[in-house]
PDB file of all heavy atoms in Angstrom:
ATOM      1  N   LEU A   1       0.936  -1.277  -0.050  1.00 96.00           N
ATOM      2  CA  LEU A   1      -0.103   0.037   0.036  1.00 96.00           C
ATOM      3  C   LEU A   1       0.857   1.252   0.031  1.00 96.00           C
ATOM      4  O   LEU A   1       0.563   2.237  -0.791  1.00 96.00           O
ATOM      5  CB  LEU A   1      -0.928   0.046   1.246  1.00 96.00           C
ATOM      6  CG  LEU A   1      -1.905   1.222   1.414  1.00 96.00           C
ATOM      7  CD1 LEU A   1      -2.828   1.367   0.256  1.00 96.00           C
ATOM      8  CD2 LEU A   1      -2.635   1.105   2.661  1.00 96.00           C
ATOM      9  N   TYR A   2       1.935   1.264   0.815  1.00 97.00           N
ATOM     10  CA  TYR A   2       2.884   2.410   0.819  1.00 97.00           C
ATOM     11  C   TYR A   2       3.438   2.581  -0.538  1.00 97.00           C
ATOM     12  O   TYR A   2       3.404   3.773  -0.971  1.00 97.00           O
ATOM     13  CB  TYR A   2       3.961   2.009   1.844  1.00 97.00           C
ATOM     14  CG  TYR A   2       5.142   2.889   1.688  1.00 97.00           C
ATOM     15  CD1 TYR A   2       5.215   4.085   2.557  1.00 97.00           C
ATOM     16  CD2 TYR A   2       6.390   2.445   1.171  1.00 97.00           C
ATOM     17  CE1 TYR A   2       6.455   4.874   2.541  1.00 97.00           C
ATOM     18  CE2 TYR A   2       7.498   3.199   1.177  1.00 97.00           C
ATOM     19  CZ  TYR A   2       7.530   4.379   1.819  1.00 97.00           C
ATOM     20  OH  TYR A   2       8.731   5.238   1.904  1.00 97.00           O
ATOM     21  N   ASP A   3       3.878   1.631  -1.203  1.00 97.00           N
ATOM     22  CA  ASP A   3       4.494   1.907  -2.518  1.00 97.00           C
ATOM     23  C   ASP A   3       3.421   2.426  -3.457  1.00 97.00           C
ATOM     24  O   ASP A   3       3.753   3.193  -4.431  1.00 97.00           O
ATOM     25  CB  ASP A   3       5.062   0.470  -3.106  1.00 97.00           C
ATOM     26  CG  ASP A   3       6.344   0.127  -2.295  1.00 97.00           C
ATOM     27  OD1 ASP A   3       7.042   0.929  -1.772  1.00 97.00           O
ATOM     28  OD2 ASP A   3       6.677  -1.097  -2.286  1.00 97.00           O
ATOM     29  N   ALA A   4       2.231   1.796  -3.432  1.00 96.00           N
ATOM     30  CA  ALA A   4       1.210   2.176  -4.355  1.00 96.00           C
ATOM     31  C   ALA A   4       0.712   3.654  -4.074  1.00 96.00           C
ATOM     32  O   ALA A   4       0.581   4.402  -5.136  1.00 96.00           O
ATOM     33  CB  ALA A   4      -0.100   1.268  -4.237  1.00 96.00           C
ATOM     34  N   LEU A   5       0.677   4.087  -2.880  1.00 97.00           N
ATOM     35  CA  LEU A   5       0.271   5.410  -2.637  1.00 97.00           C
ATOM     36  C   LEU A   5       1.269   6.467  -3.113  1.00 97.00           C
ATOM     37  O   LEU A   5       0.864   7.526  -3.568  1.00 97.00           O
ATOM     38  CB  LEU A   5       0.017   5.655  -1.146  1.00 97.00           C
ATOM     39  CG  LEU A   5      -1.172   4.840  -0.416  1.00 97.00           C
ATOM     40  CD1 LEU A   5      -1.118   5.031   0.973  1.00 97.00           C
ATOM     41  CD2 LEU A   5      -2.513   5.566  -1.072  1.00 97.00           C
ATOM     42  N   LEU A   6       2.566   6.099  -2.992  1.00 98.00           N
ATOM     43  CA  LEU A   6       3.604   7.028  -3.320  1.00 98.00           C
ATOM     44  C   LEU A   6       3.651   7.155  -4.886  1.00 98.00           C
ATOM     45  O   LEU A   6       4.195   8.125  -5.483  1.00 98.00           O
ATOM     46  CB  LEU A   6       4.961   6.567  -2.896  1.00 98.00           C
ATOM     47  CG  LEU A   6       5.171   6.592  -1.416  1.00 98.00           C
ATOM     48  CD1 LEU A   6       6.563   6.199  -1.137  1.00 98.00           C
ATOM     49  CD2 LEU A   6       5.056   8.074  -0.906  1.00 98.00           C
ATOM     50  N   ARG A   7       2.871   6.291  -5.720  1.00 97.00           N
ATOM     51  CA  ARG A   7       2.806   6.402  -7.064  1.00 97.00           C
ATOM     52  C   ARG A   7       1.557   7.165  -7.556  1.00 97.00           C
ATOM     53  O   ARG A   7       1.355   7.338  -8.762  1.00 97.00           O
ATOM     54  CB  ARG A   7       2.894   5.005  -7.824  1.00 97.00           C
ATOM     55  CG  ARG A   7       4.209   4.271  -7.541  1.00 97.00           C
ATOM     56  CD  ARG A   7       4.252   3.019  -8.519  1.00 97.00           C
ATOM     57  NE  ARG A   7       3.283   2.083  -8.152  1.00 97.00           N
ATOM     58  CZ  ARG A   7       3.520   1.021  -7.387  1.00 97.00           C
ATOM     59  NH1 ARG A   7       4.612   0.823  -6.732  1.00 97.00           N
ATOM     60  NH2 ARG A   7       2.414   0.210  -7.026  1.00 97.00           N
ATOM     61  N   GLU A   8       0.622   7.410  -6.635  1.00 97.00           N
ATOM     62  CA  GLU A   8      -0.613   7.972  -7.051  1.00 97.00           C
ATOM     63  C   GLU A   8      -0.422   9.364  -7.619  1.00 97.00           C
ATOM     64  O   GLU A   8       0.287  10.257  -7.164  1.00 97.00           O
ATOM     65  CB  GLU A   8      -1.523   8.034  -5.821  1.00 97.00           C
ATOM     66  CG  GLU A   8      -2.033   6.701  -5.336  1.00 97.00           C
ATOM     67  CD  GLU A   8      -2.950   6.065  -6.349  1.00 97.00           C
ATOM     68  OE1 GLU A   8      -3.472   6.804  -7.300  1.00 97.00           O
ATOM     69  OE2 GLU A   8      -3.347   4.857  -6.045  1.00 97.00           O
ATOM     70  N   GLU A   9      -1.252   9.600  -8.780  1.00 97.00           N
ATOM     71  CA  GLU A   9      -1.148  10.849  -9.434  1.00 97.00           C
ATOM     72  C   GLU A   9      -1.756  12.050  -8.679  1.00 97.00           C
ATOM     73  O   GLU A   9      -1.413  13.132  -8.877  1.00 97.00           O
ATOM     74  CB  GLU A   9      -1.852  10.728 -10.870  1.00 97.00           C
ATOM     75  CG  GLU A   9      -1.136   9.932 -11.873  1.00 97.00           C
ATOM     76  CD  GLU A   9       0.280  10.508 -12.229  1.00 97.00           C
ATOM     77  OE1 GLU A   9       0.374  11.731 -12.366  1.00 97.00           O
ATOM     78  OE2 GLU A   9       1.306   9.828 -12.289  1.00 97.00           O
ATOM     79  N   CYS A  10      -2.761  11.667  -7.912  1.00 97.00           N
ATOM     80  CA  CYS A  10      -3.391  12.855  -7.067  1.00 97.00           C
ATOM     81  C   CYS A  10      -2.531  13.271  -5.908  1.00 97.00           C
ATOM     82  O   CYS A  10      -2.960  14.310  -5.335  1.00 97.00           O
ATOM     83  CB  CYS A  10      -4.804  12.365  -6.609  1.00 97.00           C
ATOM     84  SG  CYS A  10      -4.765  10.983  -5.431  1.00 97.00           S
ATOM     85  N   LEU A  11      -1.460  12.667  -5.638  1.00 98.00           N
ATOM     86  CA  LEU A  11      -0.508  13.073  -4.554  1.00 98.00           C
ATOM     87  C   LEU A  11       0.262  14.384  -4.852  1.00 98.00           C
ATOM     88  O   LEU A  11       0.839  14.550  -6.054  1.00 98.00           O
ATOM     89  CB  LEU A  11       0.349  11.960  -4.278  1.00 98.00           C
ATOM     90  CG  LEU A  11       0.986  11.906  -2.912  1.00 98.00           C
ATOM     91  CD1 LEU A  11      -0.042  11.676  -1.815  1.00 98.00           C
ATOM     92  CD2 LEU A  11       2.040  10.809  -2.673  1.00 98.00           C
ATOM     93  N   ASP A  12       0.040  15.463  -4.099  1.00 98.00           N
ATOM     94  CA  ASP A  12       0.827  16.739  -4.312  1.00 98.00           C
ATOM     95  C   ASP A  12       2.043  16.825  -3.316  1.00 98.00           C
ATOM     96  O   ASP A  12       2.802  17.737  -3.529  1.00 98.00           O
ATOM     97  CB  ASP A  12      -0.156  17.891  -3.847  1.00 98.00           C
ATOM     98  CG  ASP A  12      -1.300  17.858  -4.809  1.00 98.00           C
ATOM     99  OD1 ASP A  12      -1.084  17.977  -6.005  1.00 98.00           O
ATOM    100  OD2 ASP A  12      -2.455  17.881  -4.311  1.00 98.00           O
ATOM    101  N   GLY A  13       2.105  15.901  -2.286  1.00 98.00           N
ATOM    102  CA  GLY A  13       3.218  16.068  -1.352  1.00 98.00           C
ATOM    103  C   GLY A  13       3.308  14.917  -0.458  1.00 98.00           C
ATOM    104  O   GLY A  13       2.470  14.113  -0.338  1.00 98.00           O
ATOM    105  N   VAL A  14       4.359  14.880   0.320  1.00 98.00           N
ATOM    106  CA  VAL A  14       4.552  13.863   1.316  1.00 98.00           C
ATOM    107  C   VAL A  14       5.080  14.370   2.584  1.00 98.00           C
ATOM    108  O   VAL A  14       5.977  15.366   2.577  1.00 98.00           O
ATOM    109  CB  VAL A  14       5.650  12.692   0.771  1.00 98.00           C
ATOM    110  CG1 VAL A  14       5.056  11.827  -0.273  1.00 98.00           C
ATOM    111  CG2 VAL A  14       6.883  13.312   0.304  1.00 98.00           C
ATOM    112  N   GLU A  15       4.636  13.947   3.704  1.00 98.00           N
ATOM    113  CA  GLU A  15       5.117  14.406   4.974  1.00 98.00           C
ATOM    114  C   GLU A  15       6.459  13.614   5.359  1.00 98.00           C
ATOM    115  O   GLU A  15       6.354  12.447   5.597  1.00 98.00           O
ATOM    116  CB  GLU A  15       4.115  14.162   6.047  1.00 98.00           C
ATOM    117  CG  GLU A  15       4.583  14.815   7.387  1.00 98.00           C
ATOM    118  CD  GLU A  15       3.470  14.621   8.500  1.00 98.00           C
ATOM    119  OE1 GLU A  15       2.990  13.562   8.614  1.00 98.00           O
ATOM    120  OE2 GLU A  15       3.200  15.651   9.179  1.00 98.00           O
ATOM    121  N   VAL A  16       7.506  14.248   5.235  1.00 98.00           N
ATOM    122  CA  VAL A  16       8.844  13.710   5.524  1.00 98.00           C
ATOM    123  C   VAL A  16       9.362  13.816   6.879  1.00 98.00           C
ATOM    124  O   VAL A  16       9.824  12.795   7.494  1.00 98.00           O
ATOM    125  CB  VAL A  16       9.969  14.233   4.519  1.00 98.00           C
ATOM    126  CG1 VAL A  16      11.388  13.770   4.859  1.00 98.00           C
ATOM    127  CG2 VAL A  16       9.600  14.031   3.013  1.00 98.00           C
ATOM    128  N   TYR A  17       9.239  15.034   7.396  1.00 98.00           N
ATOM    129  CA  TYR A  17       9.671  15.276   8.888  1.00 98.00           C
ATOM    130  C   TYR A  17       8.630  15.019   9.926  1.00 98.00           C
ATOM    131  O   TYR A  17       7.782  15.876  10.205  1.00 98.00           O
ATOM    132  CB  TYR A  17      10.254  16.748   8.949  1.00 98.00           C
ATOM    133  CG  TYR A  17      11.185  16.879   7.840  1.00 98.00           C
ATOM    134  CD1 TYR A  17      11.125  17.331   6.586  1.00 98.00           C
ATOM    135  CD2 TYR A  17      12.657  16.502   8.140  1.00 98.00           C
ATOM    136  CE1 TYR A  17      12.041  17.560   5.658  1.00 98.00           C
ATOM    137  CE2 TYR A  17      13.639  16.665   7.142  1.00 98.00           C
ATOM    138  CZ  TYR A  17      13.412  17.118   5.996  1.00 98.00           C
ATOM    139  OH  TYR A  17      14.341  17.261   5.051  1.00 98.00           O
ATOM    140  N   HIS A  18       8.732  13.823  10.364  1.00 98.00           N
ATOM    141  CA  HIS A  18       7.714  13.344  11.369  1.00 98.00           C
ATOM    142  C   HIS A  18       8.417  12.246  12.227  1.00 98.00           C
ATOM    143  O   HIS A  18       9.073  11.381  11.635  1.00 98.00           O
ATOM    144  CB  HIS A  18       6.362  12.849  10.763  1.00 98.00           C
ATOM    145  CG  HIS A  18       5.318  12.487  11.740  1.00 98.00           C
ATOM    146  ND1 HIS A  18       5.277  11.298  12.408  1.00 98.00           N
ATOM    147  CD2 HIS A  18       4.194  13.236  12.076  1.00 98.00           C
ATOM    148  CE1 HIS A  18       4.157  11.233  13.086  1.00 98.00           C
ATOM    149  NE2 HIS A  18       3.541  12.353  12.996  1.00 98.00           N
ATOM    150  N   HIS A  19       8.042  12.186  13.559  1.00 97.00           N
ATOM    151  CA  HIS A  19       8.781  11.235  14.360  1.00 97.00           C
ATOM    152  C   HIS A  19       8.488   9.792  13.873  1.00 97.00           C
ATOM    153  O   HIS A  19       9.137   8.777  14.338  1.00 97.00           O
ATOM    154  CB  HIS A  19       8.362  11.496  15.801  1.00 97.00           C
ATOM    155  CG  HIS A  19       6.994  11.349  16.036  1.00 97.00           C
ATOM    156  ND1 HIS A  19       6.275  10.193  16.199  1.00 97.00           N
ATOM    157  CD2 HIS A  19       6.060  12.317  16.407  1.00 97.00           C
ATOM    158  CE1 HIS A  19       5.020  10.437  16.569  1.00 97.00           C
ATOM    159  NE2 HIS A  19       4.762  11.736  16.598  1.00 97.00           N
ATOM    160  N   ASP A  20       7.414   9.502  13.195  1.00 97.00           N
ATOM    161  CA  ASP A  20       7.018   8.084  12.712  1.00 97.00           C
ATOM    162  C   ASP A  20       7.813   7.770  11.494  1.00 97.00           C
ATOM    163  O   ASP A  20       7.750   6.551  11.026  1.00 97.00           O
ATOM    164  CB  ASP A  20       5.570   7.990  12.455  1.00 97.00           C
ATOM    165  CG  ASP A  20       4.819   7.465  13.707  1.00 97.00           C
ATOM    166  OD1 ASP A  20       5.351   6.794  14.514  1.00 97.00           O
ATOM    167  OD2 ASP A  20       3.662   7.967  13.899  1.00 97.00           O
ATOM    168  N   ASN A  21       8.608   8.565  10.916  1.00 98.00           N
ATOM    169  CA  ASN A  21       9.471   8.264   9.712  1.00 98.00           C
ATOM    170  C   ASN A  21      10.881   8.115  10.111  1.00 98.00           C
ATOM    171  O   ASN A  21      11.543   9.119  10.421  1.00 98.00           O
ATOM    172  CB  ASN A  21       9.296   9.398   8.685  1.00 98.00           C
ATOM    173  CG  ASN A  21       8.012   9.508   8.110  1.00 98.00           C
ATOM    174  OD1 ASN A  21       7.233   8.632   7.962  1.00 98.00           O
ATOM    175  ND2 ASN A  21       7.768  10.776   7.593  1.00 98.00           N
ATOM    176  N   PRO A  22      11.479   6.806  10.185  1.00 97.00           N
ATOM    177  CA  PRO A  22      12.886   6.766  10.332  1.00 97.00           C
ATOM    178  C   PRO A  22      13.737   7.211   9.335  1.00 97.00           C
ATOM    179  O   PRO A  22      13.193   7.621   8.269  1.00 97.00           O
ATOM    180  CB  PRO A  22      13.075   5.251  10.591  1.00 97.00           C
ATOM    181  CG  PRO A  22      11.843   4.610   9.867  1.00 97.00           C
ATOM    182  CD  PRO A  22      10.782   5.639   9.954  1.00 97.00           C
ATOM    183  N   GLU A  23      14.916   7.457   9.520  1.00 98.00           N
ATOM    184  CA  GLU A  23      15.871   8.064   8.622  1.00 98.00           C
ATOM    185  C   GLU A  23      15.837   7.418   7.320  1.00 98.00           C
ATOM    186  O   GLU A  23      15.928   8.173   6.252  1.00 98.00           O
ATOM    187  CB  GLU A  23      17.286   7.989   9.179  1.00 98.00           C
ATOM    188  CG  GLU A  23      18.249   8.968   8.543  1.00 98.00           C
ATOM    189  CD  GLU A  23      17.899  10.371   8.519  1.00 98.00           C
ATOM    190  OE1 GLU A  23      17.328  10.836   9.512  1.00 98.00           O
ATOM    191  OE2 GLU A  23      18.078  11.077   7.438  1.00 98.00           O
ATOM    192  N   ASP A  24      15.854   6.186   7.129  1.00 97.00           N
ATOM    193  CA  ASP A  24      15.860   5.545   5.831  1.00 97.00           C
ATOM    194  C   ASP A  24      14.570   5.853   5.106  1.00 97.00           C
ATOM    195  O   ASP A  24      14.574   6.081   3.767  1.00 97.00           O
ATOM    196  CB  ASP A  24      15.970   3.948   5.993  1.00 97.00           C
ATOM    197  CG  ASP A  24      14.833   3.335   6.736  1.00 97.00           C
ATOM    198  OD1 ASP A  24      14.345   3.903   7.694  1.00 97.00           O
ATOM    199  OD2 ASP A  24      14.349   2.168   6.294  1.00 97.00           O
ATOM    200  N   VAL A  25      13.378   5.953   5.774  1.00 98.00           N
ATOM    201  CA  VAL A  25      12.163   6.397   5.029  1.00 98.00           C
ATOM    202  C   VAL A  25      12.291   7.774   4.624  1.00 98.00           C
ATOM    203  O   VAL A  25      11.740   8.193   3.528  1.00 98.00           O
ATOM    204  CB  VAL A  25      10.911   6.040   5.982  1.00 98.00           C
ATOM    205  CG1 VAL A  25       9.708   6.662   5.427  1.00 98.00           C
ATOM    206  CG2 VAL A  25      10.817   4.553   6.231  1.00 98.00           C
ATOM    207  N   ARG A  26      12.811   8.649   5.472  1.00 98.00           N
ATOM    208  CA  ARG A  26      12.981  10.130   5.087  1.00 98.00           C
ATOM    209  C   ARG A  26      13.734  10.215   3.905  1.00 98.00           C
ATOM    210  O   ARG A  26      13.308  10.907   2.902  1.00 98.00           O
ATOM    211  CB  ARG A  26      13.527  10.849   6.345  1.00 98.00           C
ATOM    212  CG  ARG A  26      12.715  10.888   7.508  1.00 98.00           C
ATOM    213  CD  ARG A  26      13.360  11.746   8.590  1.00 98.00           C
ATOM    214  NE  ARG A  26      12.603  11.720   9.951  1.00 98.00           N
ATOM    215  CZ  ARG A  26      12.434  12.751  10.788  1.00 98.00           C
ATOM    216  NH1 ARG A  26      13.027  13.779  10.468  1.00 98.00           N
ATOM    217  NH2 ARG A  26      11.688  12.506  11.796  1.00 98.00           N
ATOM    218  N   LYS A  27      14.899   9.476   3.762  1.00 98.00           N
ATOM    219  CA  LYS A  27      15.598   9.513   2.511  1.00 98.00           C
ATOM    220  C   LYS A  27      14.821   9.055   1.262  1.00 98.00           C
ATOM    221  O   LYS A  27      14.936   9.689   0.169  1.00 98.00           O
ATOM    222  CB  LYS A  27      16.930   8.782   2.720  1.00 98.00           C
ATOM    223  CG  LYS A  27      17.856   9.349   3.728  1.00 98.00           C
ATOM    224  CD  LYS A  27      19.080   8.505   3.872  1.00 98.00           C
ATOM    225  CE  LYS A  27      20.115   9.008   4.827  1.00 98.00           C
ATOM    226  NZ  LYS A  27      21.360   8.254   5.045  1.00 98.00           N
ATOM    227  N   GLU A  28      14.117   8.061   1.459  1.00 98.00           N
ATOM    228  CA  GLU A  28      13.321   7.413   0.310  1.00 98.00           C
ATOM    229  C   GLU A  28      12.260   8.454   0.029  1.00 98.00           C
ATOM    230  O   GLU A  28      12.075   8.672  -1.289  1.00 98.00           O
ATOM    231  CB  GLU A  28      12.640   6.095   0.908  1.00 98.00           C
ATOM    232  CG  GLU A  28      11.997   5.341  -0.058  1.00 98.00           C
ATOM    233  CD  GLU A  28      11.621   4.002   0.554  1.00 98.00           C
ATOM    234  OE1 GLU A  28      10.854   3.931   1.558  1.00 98.00           O
ATOM    235  OE2 GLU A  28      11.894   2.969  -0.166  1.00 98.00           O
ATOM    236  N   LEU A  29      11.545   9.167   0.935  1.00 98.00           N
ATOM    237  CA  LEU A  29      10.481  10.031   0.678  1.00 98.00           C
ATOM    238  C   LEU A  29      11.064  11.273  -0.061  1.00 98.00           C
ATOM    239  O   LEU A  29      10.462  11.814  -0.953  1.00 98.00           O
ATOM    240  CB  LEU A  29       9.769  10.465   1.945  1.00 98.00           C
ATOM    241  CG  LEU A  29       9.008   9.277   2.531  1.00 98.00           C
ATOM    242  CD1 LEU A  29       8.507   9.729   3.859  1.00 98.00           C
ATOM    243  CD2 LEU A  29       7.876   8.908   1.694  1.00 98.00           C
ATOM    244  N   LEU A  30      12.207  11.782   0.375  1.00 98.00           N
ATOM    245  CA  LEU A  30      12.925  12.945  -0.266  1.00 98.00           C
ATOM    246  C   LEU A  30      13.269  12.669  -1.740  1.00 98.00           C
ATOM    247  O   LEU A  30      12.968  13.503  -2.592  1.00 98.00           O
ATOM    248  CB  LEU A  30      14.223  13.321   0.532  1.00 98.00           C
ATOM    249  CG  LEU A  30      13.879  14.057   1.832  1.00 98.00           C
ATOM    250  CD1 LEU A  30      15.122  14.297   2.614  1.00 98.00           C
ATOM    251  CD2 LEU A  30      13.209  15.485   1.585  1.00 98.00           C
ATOM    252  N   ALA A  31      13.716  11.341  -1.973  1.00 98.00           N
ATOM    253  CA  ALA A  31      13.994  10.942  -3.379  1.00 98.00           C
ATOM    254  C   ALA A  31      12.751  11.038  -4.210  1.00 98.00           C
ATOM    255  O   ALA A  31      12.742  11.447  -5.393  1.00 98.00           O
ATOM    256  CB  ALA A  31      14.725   9.627  -3.369  1.00 98.00           C
ATOM    257  N   VAL A  32      11.560  10.387  -3.684  1.00 98.00           N
ATOM    258  CA  VAL A  32      10.392  10.470  -4.338  1.00 98.00           C
ATOM    259  C   VAL A  32       9.910  11.844  -4.628  1.00 98.00           C
ATOM    260  O   VAL A  32       9.420  12.182  -5.746  1.00 98.00           O
ATOM    261  CB  VAL A  32       9.361   9.682  -3.586  1.00 98.00           C
ATOM    262  CG1 VAL A  32       7.905   9.736  -4.128  1.00 98.00           C
ATOM    263  CG2 VAL A  32       9.710   8.130  -3.458  1.00 98.00           C
ATOM    264  N   ALA A  33       9.956  12.683  -3.653  1.00 98.00           N
ATOM    265  CA  ALA A  33       9.517  14.057  -3.784  1.00 98.00           C
ATOM    266  C   ALA A  33      10.332  14.797  -4.863  1.00 98.00           C
ATOM    267  O   ALA A  33       9.761  15.516  -5.730  1.00 98.00           O
ATOM    268  CB  ALA A  33       9.709  14.772  -2.414  1.00 98.00           C
ATOM    269  N   GLU A  34      11.677  14.563  -4.881  1.00 97.00           N
ATOM    270  CA  GLU A  34      12.483  15.248  -5.846  1.00 97.00           C
ATOM    271  C   GLU A  34      12.160  14.690  -7.249  1.00 97.00           C
ATOM    272  O   GLU A  34      11.991  15.448  -8.236  1.00 97.00           O
ATOM    273  CB  GLU A  34      13.974  15.071  -5.602  1.00 97.00           C
ATOM    274  CG  GLU A  34      14.864  15.625  -6.501  1.00 97.00           C
ATOM    275  CD  GLU A  34      16.401  15.591  -6.119  1.00 97.00           C
ATOM    276  OE1 GLU A  34      16.638  14.871  -5.251  1.00 97.00           O
ATOM    277  OE2 GLU A  34      17.092  16.223  -6.763  1.00 97.00           O
ATOM    278  N   ASN A  35      12.010  13.413  -7.378  1.00 97.00           N
ATOM    279  CA  ASN A  35      11.715  12.804  -8.742  1.00 97.00           C
ATOM    280  C   ASN A  35      10.313  13.171  -9.224  1.00 97.00           C
ATOM    281  O   ASN A  35      10.178  13.498 -10.482  1.00 97.00           O
ATOM    282  CB  ASN A  35      11.769  11.410  -8.545  1.00 97.00           C
ATOM    283  CG  ASN A  35      11.509  10.527  -9.782  1.00 97.00           C
ATOM    284  OD1 ASN A  35      12.260  10.793 -10.822  1.00 97.00           O
ATOM    285  ND2 ASN A  35      10.623   9.656  -9.820  1.00 97.00           N
ATOM    286  N   ARG A  36       9.355  13.296  -8.288  1.00 97.00           N
ATOM    287  CA  ARG A  36       7.979  13.735  -8.833  1.00 97.00           C
ATOM    288  C   ARG A  36       7.610  15.141  -8.646  1.00 97.00           C
ATOM    289  O   ARG A  36       6.555  15.555  -8.933  1.00 97.00           O
ATOM    290  CB  ARG A  36       6.946  12.833  -8.067  1.00 97.00           C
ATOM    291  CG  ARG A  36       7.070  11.315  -8.400  1.00 97.00           C
ATOM    292  CD  ARG A  36       5.804  10.637  -7.864  1.00 97.00           C
ATOM    293  NE  ARG A  36       4.643  11.206  -8.308  1.00 97.00           N
ATOM    294  CZ  ARG A  36       3.311  11.079  -7.902  1.00 97.00           C
ATOM    295  NH1 ARG A  36       3.204  10.182  -6.768  1.00 97.00           N
ATOM    296  NH2 ARG A  36       2.369  11.623  -8.385  1.00 97.00           N
ATOM    297  N   HIS A  37       8.565  15.860  -8.171  1.00 97.00           N
ATOM    298  CA  HIS A  37       8.356  17.383  -7.831  1.00 97.00           C
ATOM    299  C   HIS A  37       7.177  17.602  -6.908  1.00 97.00           C
ATOM    300  O   HIS A  37       6.265  18.415  -7.233  1.00 97.00           O
ATOM    301  CB  HIS A  37       8.103  18.011  -9.253  1.00 97.00           C
ATOM    302  CG  HIS A  37       9.075  17.896 -10.212  1.00 97.00           C
ATOM    303  ND1 HIS A  37      10.389  18.369 -10.079  1.00 97.00           N
ATOM    304  CD2 HIS A  37       9.142  17.124 -11.345  1.00 97.00           C
ATOM    305  CE1 HIS A  37      11.093  18.033 -11.167  1.00 97.00           C
ATOM    306  NE2 HIS A  37      10.357  17.191 -11.979  1.00 97.00           N
ATOM    307  N   LEU A  38       7.206  16.845  -5.806  1.00 98.00           N
ATOM    308  CA  LEU A  38       6.129  16.876  -4.797  1.00 98.00           C
ATOM    309  C   LEU A  38       6.553  17.855  -3.613  1.00 98.00           C
ATOM    310  O   LEU A  38       7.721  18.061  -3.419  1.00 98.00           O
ATOM    311  CB  LEU A  38       5.999  15.521  -4.081  1.00 98.00           C
ATOM    312  CG  LEU A  38       5.441  14.443  -5.105  1.00 98.00           C
ATOM    313  CD1 LEU A  38       5.374  13.095  -4.381  1.00 98.00           C
ATOM    314  CD2 LEU A  38       4.129  14.767  -5.801  1.00 98.00           C
ATOM    315  N   MET A  39       5.541  18.481  -3.007  1.00 97.00           N
ATOM    316  CA  MET A  39       5.859  19.265  -1.734  1.00 97.00           C
ATOM    317  C   MET A  39       6.376  18.405  -0.686  1.00 97.00           C
ATOM    318  O   MET A  39       6.029  17.112  -0.639  1.00 97.00           O
ATOM    319  CB  MET A  39       4.531  19.924  -1.314  1.00 97.00           C
ATOM    320  CG  MET A  39       3.963  20.962  -2.154  1.00 97.00           C
ATOM    321  SD  MET A  39       2.565  21.711  -1.442  1.00 97.00           S
ATOM    322  CE  MET A  39       1.505  20.411  -0.870  1.00 97.00           C
ATOM    323  N   VAL A  40       7.161  19.012   0.118  1.00 98.00           N
ATOM    324  CA  VAL A  40       7.601  18.169   1.378  1.00 98.00           C
ATOM    325  C   VAL A  40       7.241  19.049   2.607  1.00 98.00           C
ATOM    326  O   VAL A  40       7.285  20.275   2.739  1.00 98.00           O
ATOM    327  CB  VAL A  40       9.331  18.199   1.379  1.00 98.00           C
ATOM    328  CG1 VAL A  40       9.753  17.659   2.698  1.00 98.00           C
ATOM    329  CG2 VAL A  40       9.774  17.309   0.160  1.00 98.00           C
TER     330      VAL A  40
END
């Protein structure tokens, strides 16, 4: 579900800086945001 949601066209941004996101997830989300031009 996580992977599918990150591919959704209706997504405008991702919440990166949150205590439930460990460092590896933050790096992954930042890469997705940069690749898809999403808000952080």
